[in-house]
Amino acid sequence: MAAILQLLQRDHTNISRLLRVFEEQLTAFEAAETVDYDVIVDILDYCRSYPDRYHHPLEDRVLETLRSRDSDAAEQVGDLAAQHAALAAETDAALTLFLDARNGKEIARDELIRAGRAFLTHYQQHIAAEDVFFFPAAEKALRDQDWRDLENAWDGPSDPVFGDREEEHYRRLRHEVLTDNSRTSPA
Ligand SMILES: [Fe+2]
């Protein structure tokens, strides 16, 4: 399998692990238990810093290449860039609310839960759709040279939570994910 596709799939596995941590937090919050604002904020912040900046633009470029090789399949994938923009907006909205709550501002519990659920549900649906149709369609239609061109144009950093050069800022988040075995296997 092409290295770029492996990278995108690994990103999905990693993002899904974080989404499961997010879901645990949100479910506890919905059950009127306390929530760890730092973990929630760090996951949303990670999504703004890595998937929104590097993973999604790379997928957009893969889709452009797919369009030139199999326009019907690309049509079926739909408007990924618009979906990515919508996810970024929902992530941003949730991040703003949870940051305010963490900083002591009074935010209605329902509002936090609604924003958290919208982010979580749409992210999970989006990843599942890409895994089921987009990635297999790209794998089938793109040629070796296409993947090489994508790879040569790729200038993203390693993942700040799961990569070789984990950022200090995300140390706690990495620990949260890695210390629970139920979260270490792919979704
Ligand atoms: Fe993706």
Side-chain angles (χ1 to χ4, degrees), residues 53-141:
R53 261 191 231 164
Y54 302 104
H55 173 90
H56 292 155
L58 179 57
E59 288 175 335
D60 294 341
R61 287 200 288 278
V62 172
L63 178 60
E64 280 317 302
T65 312
L66 177 62
R67 203 179 304 285
S68 69
R69 297 294 180 208
D70 183 346
S71 58
D72 288 347
E75 199 60 36
Q76 224 173 310
V77 172
D79 192 344
L80 268 195
Q83 290 175 32
H84 291 153
L87 281 181
E90 277 182 329
T91 307
D92 209 34
L95 179 58
T96 301
L97 285 175
F98 277 99
L99 265 177
D100 282 349
R102 184 177 74 173
N103 294 338
K105 194 168 165 186
E106 208 165 304
I107 309 283
R109 184 188 181 78
D110 283 357
E111 202 180 343
L112 290 166
I113 289 172
R114 206 166 38 241
R117 274 287 157 200
F119 157 81
L120 180 65
T121 306
H122 294 148
Y123 235 105
Q124 287 173 328
Q125 288 170 349
H126 177 77
I127 284 178
E130 288 178 339
D131 285 344
V132 166
F133 186 77
F134 173 43
F135 289 173
E139 187 173 26
K140 197 166 155 213

